[in-house]
């Protein structure tokens, strides 16, 4: 029997989405590498060690701690997370459905992201947009930053169209079937993000761009903050859900088992679609001008949105136990030992999930109408989101390289590269846990966030003990980052290719409890209806307050502090 053999050029011709995904993935990881290089300086600052004079000698364009903070936040929390989402949440449904996305529009989305990133980077690097990556007037950045960031974010709407178009085509060919799991997760994810991103788009179009171009003289800070947090909290789920999609559809197979429940995964993402956006006022508990009743409503809705994460924790823990027992694990905890702890594609997301447990608990504190006043704008807050995006999301992304890069490029992963990967993810996890402990503890002692506290070393001596943890975290994370840079480029640039790896299917997990013939699954598959419900919830939760704020605008001129 003849053996069919393809070249890599033929593989890319048959599956052009592979190259597009690779470009998004590589650009995203370059962003997180550059952004993370500023991380140790941030950590040392919260250890009362001012290393920014050294950084300024090494990189003369870095003018202040606040510029470094802006670069760190923009590249890690906005650029990396978006590019990873655009890679994974288009590629997975394309491969699951066996359909090609519209490649012309696919490359339009990549070029929009790239050019928007370059345009925004120029004022960031020249200290003309040191606005702490929060788009908070009256801090005013250069117009190129706002325009570049807007183009960058709008590239996600093209990715949204790509996925909806593939879903529509598949539905036309399979009208009686429910949407396959990975595609369902991707469609609900992108629709959630479309609703969520409207706040930031409105802020940019109505206020920030005209303001920065000099067409209007001032912006109402409360209106801008409200529109920002319309997007600012659900962007957390924009970070998380691509990782969740990998955890549901890929991790059980990496563990050697099956996903416990397909319907539970669907329900979790459907709840995120419904509940992610009408929660932003819990970031504005201290802001005047917003009725406390609406703050309380958003606080309650924020607690509800913890439910799909708790469901995810249960479903994944049960799936991992199933995998451990399928691998021969016995007894109450023997299944844990039986899991593949020598595989970084498994270890990285599992360590991220472990870090996510205290992160989720801290998030409930942040959402509390009363407890948040204790930790508001303290170091507790960056401690919290380092457990979310810097641990679970980043570790899951790192782990995905060990199955995704071979699938995209045909380049095999050597045993040495896997061992290095294990060292990286363990060091990253340990560093993040040390940092989270130090930042949370310092926050409870009143140490502020977004502050160059190492310039006033006598002000926070009462927090000396947690500061030690931040110094240690900065050192450990720098070591992890340098090892990751070496490992990432050694995998990416190696010349050896095995075409069979690129021809292989994406390693989707089998499902123990599937979607077949269930009324609940059919009901969840009415995605258009649920999208309308989600839009209605947002209008109800934001409408009265937004109308009131727009009826009483109080514009103020812009300022540049640093």
């Amino acid at each position: 029997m003849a053996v069919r053999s393809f070249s890599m050029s033929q593989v890319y011709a048959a599956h052009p989405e592979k190259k597009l995904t690779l470009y998004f993935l590589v650009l995203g990881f370059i962003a997180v590498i550059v952004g993370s290089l500023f991380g140790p300086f941030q950590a040392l600052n919260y250890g009362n060690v001012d290393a920014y004079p050294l950084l300024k000698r090494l990189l003369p364009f870095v003018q202040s701690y606040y510029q470094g903070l802006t670069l760190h936040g923009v590249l890690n929390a906005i650029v990396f997370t978006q590019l990873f989402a655009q890679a994974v949440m288009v590629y997975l449904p394309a491969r699951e459905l066996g359909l090609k996305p519209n490649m012309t529009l696919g490359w339009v989305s990549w070029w929009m992201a790239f050019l928007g990133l370059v345009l925004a980077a120029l004022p960031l690097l020249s200290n003309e947009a040191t606005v702490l990556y929060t788009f908070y007037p009256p801090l005013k950045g250069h117009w190129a930053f706002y325009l570049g960031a807007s183009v960058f974010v709008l590239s996600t709407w093209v990715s949204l169209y790509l996925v909806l178009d593939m879903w529509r085509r598949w539905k036309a060919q399979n009208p009686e079937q429910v949407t396959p799991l990975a595609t369902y997760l991707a469609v609900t994810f992108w629709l959630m993000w479309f609703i969520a991103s409207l706040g930031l788009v409105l802020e940019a179009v109505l206020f920030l761009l005209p303001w920065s171009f000099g067409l209007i003289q001032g912006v109402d800070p409360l209106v801008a903050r409200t529109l920002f947090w319309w997007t600012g909290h659900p962007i957390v789920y924009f970070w998380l859900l691509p990782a969740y999609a990998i955890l549901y559809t890929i991790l059980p197979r990496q563990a050697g088992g099956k996903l416990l429940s397909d319907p539970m995964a669907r329900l979790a993402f459907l709840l995120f679609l419904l509940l992610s956006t009408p929660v932003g006022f819990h970031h504005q508990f201290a802001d005047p001008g917003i009725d406390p009743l609406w703050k309380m409503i958003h606080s309650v809705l924020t607690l509800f949105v913890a439910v799909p994460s708790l469901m995810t924790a249960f479903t994944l823990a049960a799936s991992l136990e199933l995998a451990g027992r399928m691998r021969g694990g016995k007894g109450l905890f023997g299944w844990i030992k039986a899991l593949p702890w020598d595989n970084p594609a498994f270890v990285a997301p599992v360590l991220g999930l472990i870090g996510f447990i205290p992160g989720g608990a801290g998030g409930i504190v942040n959402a509390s109408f009363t407890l948040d006043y204790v930790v508001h704008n303290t170091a507790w807050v960056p401690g919290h989101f380092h457990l979310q995006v810097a641990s679970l999301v980043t570790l899951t992304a790192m782990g995905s390289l060990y199955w995704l890069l071979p699938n995209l490029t045909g380049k095999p992963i050597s045993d040495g590269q896997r061992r290095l990967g294990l060292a990286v993810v363990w060091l990253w996890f340990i560093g993040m846990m040390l940092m989270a402990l130090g930042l949370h503890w310092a926050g409870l002692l009143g140490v502020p966030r977004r502050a160059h506290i190492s310039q006033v070393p006598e002000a926070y001596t009462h927090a000396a003990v947690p500061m030690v943890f931040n110094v240690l975290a900065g050192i450990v994370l720098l070591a992890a980052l340098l090892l990751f840079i070496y490992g990432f480029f050694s995998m990416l640039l190696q010349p050896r290719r095995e075409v069979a790896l690129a021809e292989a299917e994406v390693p989707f997990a089998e499902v123990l409890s599937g979607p077949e013939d269930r009324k609940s699954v059919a009901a969840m598959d009415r995605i258009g209806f649920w999208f309308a419900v989600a839009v209605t919830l947002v209008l109800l939760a934001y409408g009265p307050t937004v109308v009131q704020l727009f009826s009483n605008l109080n514009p103020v001129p812009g300022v540049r502090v640093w």
Side-chain angles (χ1 to χ4, degrees):
M1 183 175 65
V3 177
R4 186 179 62 175
S5 178
F6 289 115
S7 66
M8 279 304 302
S9 60
Q10 290 173 308
V11 172
Y12 284 137
H15 302 290
E17 68 276 7
K18 286 181 180 287
K19 186 168 288 188
L20 176 65
T21 303
L22 181 65
Y23 273 59
F24 271 116
L25 197 69
V26 171
L27 186 60
F29 273 102
I30 290 174
V32 81
I33 287 169
V34 175
S36 296
L37 288 171
F38 292 93
F41 296 91
Q42 304 293 321
L44 290 173
N45 173 67
Y46 279 99
N48 232 357
V49 177
D50 189 3
Y52 268 87
L54 172 63
L55 181 60
K56 190 173 180 179
R57 286 197 292 271
L58 295 173
L59 301 172
F61 65 84
V62 179
Q63 297 298 307
S64 71
Y65 157 83
Y66 298 97
Q67 185 187 8
L69 172 62
T70 303
L71 287 163
H72 179 68
V74 168
L75 290 172
N76 288 10
I78 297 177
V79 175
F80 163 64
T81 51
Q82 177 182 310
L83 293 172
F84 183 68
Q86 290 180 277
V88 170
M89 299 305 270
V90 175
Y91 185 66
L92 291 183
R95 301 300 294 127
E96 181 181 54
L97 299 178
L99 295 174
K100 296 179 184 177
N102 184 316
M103 292 308 301
T104 299
L105 289 179
W107 285 109
V108 166
S109 67
W110 189 86
W111 279 105
M112 285 178 66
F114 178 74
L115 295 175
L117 174 58
V118 171
L119 184 59
L122 295 175
L124 284 173
L125 295 174
S126 61
N127 199 35
E128 295 292 330
T130 299
V131 293
L132 306 186
Y133 75 92
T134 50
F135 298 71
Y136 265 15
L139 289 180
K140 187 176 182 180
H142 192 275
W143 63 264
F145 172 68
Y146 296 124
L147 181 59
S150 298
V151 172
F152 182 78
V153 171
L154 285 174
S155 72
T156 62
W157 288 14
V158 183
S159 298
L160 159 70
Y161 175 81
L162 295 177
V163 173
L164 292 183
D165 178 61
M166 287 189 292
W167 180 52
R168 176 192 59 79
R169 284 187 277 146
W170 186 88
K171 276 291 190 180
Q173 298 168 7
N174 304 273
E176 302 300 322
Q177 297 185 36
V178 298
T179 306
L181 179 59
T183 305
Y184 185 89
L185 305 187
V187 170
T188 50
F189 163 79
W190 284 115
L191 290 176
M192 179 280 293
W193 173 242
F194 175 74
I195 299 171
S197 63
L198 288 173
L200 196 57
V201 170
L202 288 172
E203 184 190 7
V205 171
L206 296 179
F207 298 108
L208 298 181
L209 284 170
W211 184 46
S212 61
F213 280 118
L215 301 178
I216 59 176
Q217 296 306 307
V219 174
D220 186 322
L222 183 57
V223 172
R225 285 169 65 91
T226 300
L227 292 175
F228 175 81
W229 285 115
W230 173 319
T231 301
H233 188 80
I235 204 173
V236 173
Y237 308 114
F238 184 65
W239 301 340
L240 285 175
L241 293 190
Y244 275 21
I246 291 172
L247 296 174
Y248 275 121
T249 64
I250 304 294
L251 178 62
R253 181 163 174 178
Q254 297 293 329
K258 300 180 180 181
L259 175 64
L260 181 71
S261 172
D262 171 296
M264 286 284 278
R266 293 171 190 266
L267 180 58
F269 270 64
L270 178 58
L271 290 174
F272 280 120
L273 169 63
L274 295 175
L275 299 173
S276 291
T277 304
V279 296
F281 290 162
H282 88 260
H283 287 270
Q284 296 180 266
F285 286 151
D287 286 4
I290 298 175
D291 192 311
L293 174 62
W294 286 110
K295 293 179 181 179
M296 176 60 76
I297 291 171
H298 280 230
S299 177
V300 172
L301 290 171
T302 307
L303 296 176
F304 277 133
V305 85
V307 172
S309 285
L310 292 172
M311 291 170 50
T312 299
F314 167 79
T315 305
L316 293 176
S319 299
L320 293 180
E321 180 177 355
L322 174 65
R325 298 199 183 282
M326 288 177 65
R327 293 171 62 91
K330 305 294 183 182
L332 186 61
F333 298 112
W335 62 271
I336 298 175
K337 184 179 179 181
L339 291 169
W341 295 102
D342 59 344
N343 178 9
F346 166 80
V347 174
V350 169
L351 292 179
L353 282 168
I354 293 171
F356 193 74
I357 295 171
I364 293 174
V365 172
N366 298 343
S368 167
F369 197 67
T370 50
L371 294 177
D372 182 71
Y373 283 104
V374 178
V375 300
H376 181 70
N377 272 346
T378 71
W380 169 286
V381 178
H384 163 70
F385 61 68
H386 274 83
L387 288 175
Q388 314 295 78
V389 64
S391 293
L392 176 59
V393 176
T394 305
L395 281 169
T396 301
M398 288 177 173
S400 71
L401 293 173
Y402 293 89
W403 59 266
L404 187 53
L405 274 182
N407 191 264
L408 296 176
T409 66
K411 296 184 178 184
I413 307 297
S414 69
D415 290 341
Q417 289 167 335
R418 290 184 188 279
R419 288 192 295 269
L420 179 61
L422 285 171
V424 167
V425 299
W426 275 106
L427 282 172
W428 193 272
F429 172 74
I430 292 168
M432 283 299 167
M433 293 307 102
L434 290 171
M435 176 176 287
L437 175 59
L439 289 174
H440 280 88
W441 190 350
L444 291 175
L445 295 174
V447 176
R449 69 184 292 205
R450 300 190 189 121
H452 197 176
I453 65 166
S454 57
Q455 276 199 327
V456 286
E458 301 302 319
Y460 299 102
T461 54
H462 64 287
V465 175
M467 286 177 173
V468 172
F469 289 98
N470 288 318
V471 172
L472 291 174
I475 295 169
V476 173
L477 287 169
L478 178 60
L481 177 64
L482 295 176
L483 290 175
F484 172 75
I485 293 171
Y486 173 78
F488 174 68
F489 284 105
S490 71
M491 292 187 293
L492 186 66
L493 300 178
Q494 64 171 318
R496 183 184 167 200
R497 292 183 189 261
E498 296 177 10
V499 179
L501 292 175
E503 290 181 298
E505 296 297 322
V506 170
F508 289 118
E510 296 181 17
V511 178
L512 185 65
S513 175
E516 59 279 345
D517 300 325
R518 295 196 183 184
K519 292 182 179 179
S520 60
V521 172
M524 287 188 284
D525 208 45
R526 298 176 59 193
I527 298 176
F529 168 78
W530 295 115
F531 175 71
V533 173
V535 171
T536 303
L537 286 173
V538 173
L539 292 176
L540 291 173
Y542 271 103
T545 301
V546 169
V547 169
Q548 175 195 350
L549 294 177
F550 271 82
S551 301
N552 299 276
L553 290 175
N554 183 29
V556 299
V559 297
R560 175 174 171 177
V561 182
W562 305 289

